[in-house]
Amino acid sequence: MDDDDFRFMDFKEIIKNLIVKDISPGMPEAIDRLFMDIANINRESMADIQDTQIEEMAVNLWNWAVTRNVGLLISKEQKAKLRHVACKLLCMCDDTAATEEVIHRRILMTMKTGKGWVDVGNAVMADEFFQAALTGLEQLYAKIMERSCSETQLTMQKLAVERNLFKVYSYQAESAIAQDDFQRASTCAMRCKDMLARLPKMAEYLHILCYNFGVENHMLNKYEESCYWLSQSYDIGKTNKNSVDPEMLAKVLRLLATVYMHWDDREYHDKALSAVNLANKEHLNPAGIFLKIKILLKGETSNEELLEVLMEILHLNMSLDFCLSITKLLMDNERELVGFHFLKIISDHFKSPENMGRALVVHIDILLQRKEELFAQEKIEEVIRGQQTGRPLATELVGYLHNILWKKASKSFEAHNYTDALCWYYYSLRLYESGKMDMEFSKLKRNMASCYLHLNQLDKAKEAVAEAEQLDPGNTFTQFYLFKIAVLEGNSDKALQTIAILENLLTTETAEGNDPIRDTISPATLFGLAAQFALENGQQLAGEKALEYLAKYSEDTEQIITALKCLFRLLVPKVSEMPESENKKKETDRLLVCLNRVHLKFSQTLFGKDSTSASWINEAHWFRKIAWNLAVQSHREPVTMREFFILSYKMSQFCPSDQAILIAQKTCLLMAASVDLQQGKKAATPSEQMKFLNRALEQIHKCRDIWNVLKETGDFSNDPCEILLILYEFEVKAKKNDPLLDNFLDSMWHLIHFESKALETIATLAMEMPAYYPSIALKALKGALLLHKRKESFDVMKYSHCLHNLINLLVPGGVPSAELCPLEEVCGYFEDGLNLICHTEGYPEVEILWLMMMSWNIGIYMYGRKKYVATEKWCGLSVRFLDHLGSLRSIYETQVNVLYSELVDTLNKNKSSVFREE
């Protein structure tokens, strides 16, 4: 059966399958089901099962629950639940005829079940089972007393009952403590204590139990209850010294003394002192001596009394470290006179050089903590003389003293007392033996260099850093100080070089500690400090680079945004003033990278948020405008301009969509699409061109959505956006050879705001490679000519240009395209042009010349096709154009007239050919 089927079984089936399957992933679910169901099960609901069967079921479930394999797979709470169910089943059976064995089993099961509930923190549930165990014990005792047996057997059996009764009372005490019922807990414990005369072997157990109660109450600051339990623990242990070790008794008494001291060191001072003295009599221990001194210091003990106690300590052969800890305790409690006197006694008492050195170093530490700096300096000089005269400190003591001196120097550094900090660092420097340099020495030199920098002693700082670099060149702080020195010297190249090295180090190694800036430092923090230092000292290039690194490596979004804003404030004005050059392009690309980082951080921070705070909106506006301005400045670099416009659009998406933002978004997308279309024209391969066209189309669609929303916010009749979108989309579709291009055009021809220029642009795009749609171009140019004629202020120049394009489309290279337009219609366009020339001033002479030559070429083409009537017609038309030439007429008149006369003569000779024309 599958594990999930446990939920479809009844109570008895679950027990059976649990025991049979032994280990199953569905065990926890089955146990919970049993525990919930047992509350609703009684003997009547299981009337179909005999008592023996129920008892067997309960015992089997109990035994299964406590087996080792199962016990490792289920929690203590689940085990408690299983025991609970087993007990409940067993208690359903009729107990009027129960044997002693059955009663004894019930007692053990109820005791262990109750204890299990206590252990998992459910004391209320446990009490029911403890009460059942007591009832069972009474029943068992009665059974024992009823039957006849020897006096010895009876005594043994009564003792067995009493041992179980002792356990139940102790468990009830634990339950009461868990429920914060001191009265019940003490009552149960006292019952156990009264039974110790008959059960002496249980003394140690009860002694430990009361001690644990004392510890728990002390942790909860219940001093009175804690003192009660600890006193009981001591009393029980004292009366049963054979069972309880003296060390444990001393431990109980020390805790009792501590509780008295914490409770009220004035009222209970004598009791605390009495307890600790008794503890030390039971078992002398350094902890007890220390506690005694602590208690004495809490009271009004005189210095003389303290000294007497301290002298006793020396006779107890305590270690030097212990004596030094006592000295520190005295100092911490404002007993300097006694402390220093005891320290002198210690120094005289412990004669070995190592012990004397340790005492001396501790003495220095204490003097510095007490701000006895002059005395401390005398002791330090004593140590240094010893180092130089063959009485050196042990290596670990030298390190300890270094730490003391550095800690003192660090405090002076933090207080901006750099001269004093140097004094203590100098002592540390003198402790180094000649030639024994290590990494700590390089730290020391860096720390000294930092002090020199703050004191404007640049030469000394350079010297100190040079020594540090020689020993540890790959250290981040070494490079940081080299950077600071380069900045102070005004050496921009060196500053940039060192911060680049610093960037490499910070991204590959963990920053060291123990420097005066801070023990540990993140790359972002160090770059922030570098940027601030460089800018404060007029080194803008180094400051810019540090800000750039700060934005790159910081994990704090607000810090990144602030750093980039500062960087843009520095770079943008500088870049805008630079002449066009490779360097300007490099700086512009740098700004582009930074803006992309800004957008990434905005996206990561605001992703999934329904609303944006005012501060973030303001920041987005700021960067949007920066991107826009940079786009405008980059008009000579279309690709870069496009990137800035796209970034301006992206940043605007974090701003509320009011009319101004929609207009800006529309413009950004239009400009980006325009650049992509231009890039598509320059593409080296079809696939590259397709990439640009697809990208442009995506921007066109976004822009159209924005435009549709924007039109609802006001009057935009003079905005060319819609025309541009149509033109851009037409260009993409035409160059992609979109089969639905005609459908697209059908939906736009009717637009009343289409102008002749737009139609002419469509005509050009329709014929621009790789597009080739002459029919569309023809329709667009025809519409453009018609619009030109309808205009109130007729522009003859624009008309002539449009006519030129139309005729050039219909007669490419002087060869009429009959597929596009009949020749008669083509001739009509020439006649329209001639008519306009006759009645309008200002028609471009070059265009008249072009029309003349084009009509002549068509005539010659007809002549070649032996269509002589058409030839005479077209050539005659050419001569008519000649009559309207101005300054150019004298150049072409003679030649054209001669050619025309010759052509007419030839045509007259071939009149018969007229009849063969179609």
Side-chain angles (χ1 to χ4, degrees), residues 702-771:
K702 288 179 183 177
C703 189
R704 180 168 284 115
D705 292 338
I706 293 169
W707 173 246
N708 290 335
V709 175
L710 186 60
K711 286 188 294 185
E712 298 176 1
T713 67
D715 180 13
F716 292 90
S717 56
N718 294 323
D719 194 314
C721 178
E722 190 152 15
I723 296 296
L724 289 173
L725 287 173
I726 290 171
L727 294 176
Y728 289 169
E729 187 166 0
F730 173 77
E731 180 176 354
V732 173
K733 290 180 178 294
K735 289 180 178 175
K736 290 179 69 175
N737 196 22
D738 192 329
L740 300 177
L741 182 62
D742 286 332
N743 293 340
F744 171 72
L745 285 172
D746 288 344
S747 65
M748 73 172 200
W749 288 124
H750 68 281
L751 294 174
I752 58 173
H753 53 281
F754 247 121
E755 296 183 355
S756 55
K757 183 179 180 180
L759 290 170
E760 290 178 64
T761 302
I762 288 175
T764 302
L765 295 173
M767 299 300 292
E768 191 173 75
M769 292 297 292

Side-chain angles (χ1 to χ4, degrees), residues 17-24 27 64 67 69-70 73:
N17 278 277
L18 265 180
I19 297 170
V20 170
K21 298 190 74 171
D22 193 28
I23 297 173
S24 164
M27 277 197 305
W64 178 82
T67 57
N69 289 342
V70 175
L73 293 174

Side-chain angles (χ1 to χ4, degrees), residues 668-695:
C668 288
L669 290 170
L670 279 175
M671 295 300 294
S674 174
V675 173
D676 280 335
L677 291 173
Q678 291 301 316
Q679 290 298 109
K681 292 176 183 179
K682 301 174 185 177
T685 62
S687 62
E688 186 182 358
Q689 183 184 53
M690 197 59 61
K691 180 190 76 173
F692 286 117
L693 293 175
N694 288 334
R695 197 163 69 175

Side-chain angles (χ1 to χ4, degrees), residues 465-482:
V465 173
E467 291 183 67
E469 185 181 21
Q470 187 177 7
L471 188 63
D472 189 13
N475 181 271
T476 54
F477 288 99
T478 300
Q479 295 300 322
F480 181 68
Y481 294 132
L482 286 171

